[in-house]
Amino acid sequence: MRSVEEQLALITDAAMTPEPVRIAITDALGMMCAEEVQASQPLPGFPQAAIDGYAVRAVDIGGERALRAAPSRVKADAAGAGDAAGEASPLPPTPPAAEKSLPVVGEVPAGSRQPLRLQPKQVVRVHTGAPLPTLSDAVLPLEWTDRGRKRMTPHRAVRSGDFVRRVGDDIQPGDVAVASGAILGPAQIGLLAAVGREKVLAYPRPRVSIISFGRELVDVDRDPGLGQVFDVNSYSLAAAAKDAGADVHRVGIAEGEPRRIKEMLESQIMRSEIIVISGAVGGSGAQVMREVLDDLGDIDTSRVAMHPGSVQGFGLLGKQRVPVFLLPSNPVSSLVIFEVFVRPLIRLSLGKGSAHRRLVRARSINHLASRPGRQGYIRARLMRDAQTSDYLVEGLGGATGAPAHLLAGLSQANAMIRIPEDVAEVRPGDVVEVMFLTQRA
């Protein structure tokens, strides 16, 4: 019997990274960038207002005088515009005075293409993102003024550069906007758009084909007869593969004579980087699938020291040496095997730095049993202690003495407890390793 670690090493050695393709940035989320994207233009490309307010010359409203008078008093105002815009720390308030009132000589909205030139002792109303008039060197937030339309009276001073996004503050020409090997998340997609890239060279999602096999299976659009059950696995495994980041093709139920099944598999080998077949191990019906697979490649069905899911298979099919997983028909066992072995292979093919789920240590709040000599995977509910913030975990079944086949229990879980091969019993209060699954609302 092979250990989980040995099986996982065998599988990860077969990881395949698809050839990079040029793809629209709208479709590139989650992919790994295959090129270094450099900026050809500065970002921002022009001085612009970082906040709604008035474009001013700082010297005209006493900014430089206030700075010289109280340099140690310049601190962030938690309730003011400094926090809202994150651009500057406010200067000490300046007393309003009639002579401080300045004429408002125009207004510049975001996107304006009309150049304006600011004269001494004048201000221009500006909106966030608007280009600054020539000679202005700061933006006075609306909150620091009387919001005048024809004339404006400042209540505070600003320094030169306050609330201004300077040319190239974000990116300079020649800077690397997105590095090769970076995972394209929302920020990276935004940077690609910011530097004017409509498409990017990226490694595509691995194509995963999901197949169910079994004479007892019917699709969900039919009524099962005596001895028949709905095809659960092709739907649950397809969802799991999509959640892992794959481009999924749910083939459905493999039916017909061995010749037809072989032709179907050959077509999937041509279009897939990974193939997952449930119902292909265990039972006399799986022998037909095994005979077909033996003609297409090398398949190993050594038992794996884990529970549930010890009966499984893995191999490489066709000239392309496409990884193929043989899973049992039991939905819970199939999903556990998928989590432990198939998901890491998909994540490696995506170029993810971490192929495995996050692991935490938690205190068990109930008694758990596991089969000696096998690594146990018990569906569980992970929680936090309100007082200590320690992780607590409640096993939901699947250990010795509890039903392992019930899918409803897995649907209630947000984690799986991993019990080592040499541990047969976990008592309340014992610390165990827990795998995060998809978080439930």
Side-chain angles (χ1 to χ4, degrees):
M1 188 178 290
R2 186 177 293 141
S3 71
V4 170
E5 290 72 23
E6 290 170 338
Q7 182 79 348
L8 190 58
L10 181 70
I11 290 169
T12 54
D13 282 345
M16 302 170 62
T17 302
E19 289 297 316
V21 296
R22 194 159 296 280
I23 189 168
I25 63 173
T26 53
D27 299 322
L29 184 65
M31 296 183 182
M32 183 169 66
C33 187
E35 64 173 322
E36 183 177 87
V37 180
Q38 294 184 345
S40 59
Q41 301 292 331
L43 181 69
F46 55 88
Q48 58 184 245
I51 194 171
D52 290 353
Y54 297 88
V56 300
R57 297 194 322 154
V59 68
D60 288 340
I61 57 169
E64 300 305 321
R65 291 193 300 274
L67 182 61
R68 288 194 297 269
S72 64
R73 295 174 58 196
V74 179
K75 295 182 179 179
D77 181 354
D83 281 344
E87 296 288 343
S89 299
L91 290 169
T94 56
E99 62 270 23
K100 286 285 186 177
S101 177
L102 301 172
V104 180
V105 297
E107 184 170 354
V108 182
S112 173
R113 303 179 66 180
Q114 297 293 335
L116 283 178
R117 182 180 180 87
L118 192 65
Q119 298 298 327
K121 304 295 184 180
Q122 292 180 346
V123 301
V124 170
R125 177 76 177 267
V126 289
H127 298 259
T128 303
L132 288 187
T134 306
L135 296 185
S136 62
D137 61 356
V139 174
L140 183 65
L142 284 177
E143 291 80 2
W144 297 359
T145 72
D146 67 348
R147 300 175 181 260
R149 287 288 182 178
K150 295 184 178 180
R151 298 190 68 85
M152 181 275 295
T153 300
H155 298 159
R156 288 181 180 270
V158 288
R159 295 163 296 187
S160 180
D162 280 355
F163 303 104
V164 173
R165 296 171 184 161
R166 299 178 181 87
V167 174
D169 265 355
D170 199 351
I171 294 177
Q172 293 285 349
D175 284 352
V176 176
V178 179
S180 177
I183 301 301
L184 297 172
Q188 289 73 27
I189 299 296
L191 277 171
L192 290 171
V195 300
R197 291 293 295 269
E198 182 182 359
K199 295 185 176 182
V200 64
L201 192 66
Y203 295 100
R205 299 177 180 88
R207 296 168 297 179
V208 177
S209 292
I210 307 292
I211 304 168
S212 286
F213 181 74
R215 293 189 178 95
E216 76 280 11
L217 299 178
V218 296
D219 211 340
V220 295
D221 60 351
R222 294 174 54 190
D223 292 327
L226 181 64
Q228 293 182 318
V229 295
F230 287 126
D231 169 25
V232 173
N233 285 350
S234 73
Y235 288 94
S236 62
L237 294 172
K242 188 173 183 180
D243 178 68
D247 180 7
V248 181
H249 174 54
R250 191 189 69 83
V251 179
I253 304 169
E255 298 177 307
E257 298 179 355
R259 178 181 57 82
R260 289 186 57 190
I261 295 175
K262 182 179 179 181
E263 290 174 353
M264 179 272 294
L265 285 172
E266 287 174 332
S267 69
Q268 298 309 313
I269 291 171
M270 297 297 294
R271 64 176 295 170
S272 308
E273 275 79 47
I274 299 171
I275 297 175
V276 179
I277 309 173
S278 70
V281 288
S284 58
Q287 186 61 33
V288 175
M289 180 62 76
R290 283 300 315 278
E291 291 174 0
V292 172
L293 292 171
D294 287 342
D295 289 340
L296 297 174
D298 300 321
I299 300 294
D300 177 67
T301 54
S302 299
R303 280 181 174 264
V304 179
M306 63 183 292
H307 174 77
S310 64
V311 180
Q312 56 181 276
F314 177 76
L316 303 172
L317 293 186
K319 295 180 180 180
Q320 297 87 348
R321 308 277 290 171
V322 175
V324 57
F325 292 86
L326 307 185
L327 276 54
S329 58
N330 176 265
V332 172
S333 297
S334 290
L335 281 174
V336 170
I337 295 171
F338 186 97
E339 277 293 329
V340 178
F341 298 119
V342 186
R343 191 177 195 278
L345 185 61
I346 293 173
R347 304 297 284 177
L348 285 174
S349 299
L350 281 166
K352 301 293 185 181
S354 176
H356 302 280
R357 296 278 196 183
R358 180 187 172 195
L359 282 175
V360 299
R361 295 178 66 80
R363 283 188 291 113
S364 177
I365 63 174
N366 59 346
H367 181 273
L368 305 171
S370 186
R371 293 186 180 180
R374 297 190 186 185
Q375 193 164 129
Y377 291 88
I378 299 177
R379 52 193 180 271
R381 184 181 296 114
L382 188 65
M383 301 162 281
R384 298 295 287 267
D385 188 301
Q387 295 181 336
T388 66
S389 294
D390 292 340
Y391 282 110
L392 304 175
V393 65
E394 176 189 11
L396 297 178
T400 301
H405 64 283
L406 300 180
L407 190 61
L410 188 59
S411 70
Q412 297 170 5
N414 65 354
M416 280 199 303
I417 300 170
R418 187 171 72 178
I419 301 179
E421 297 176 17
D422 58 351
V423 176
E425 183 181 24
V426 173
R427 291 183 290 270
D430 287 352
V431 176
V432 293
E433 284 191 329
V434 182
M435 293 169 51
F436 271 113
L437 301 181
T438 302
Q439 295 297 298
R440 296 185 296 116

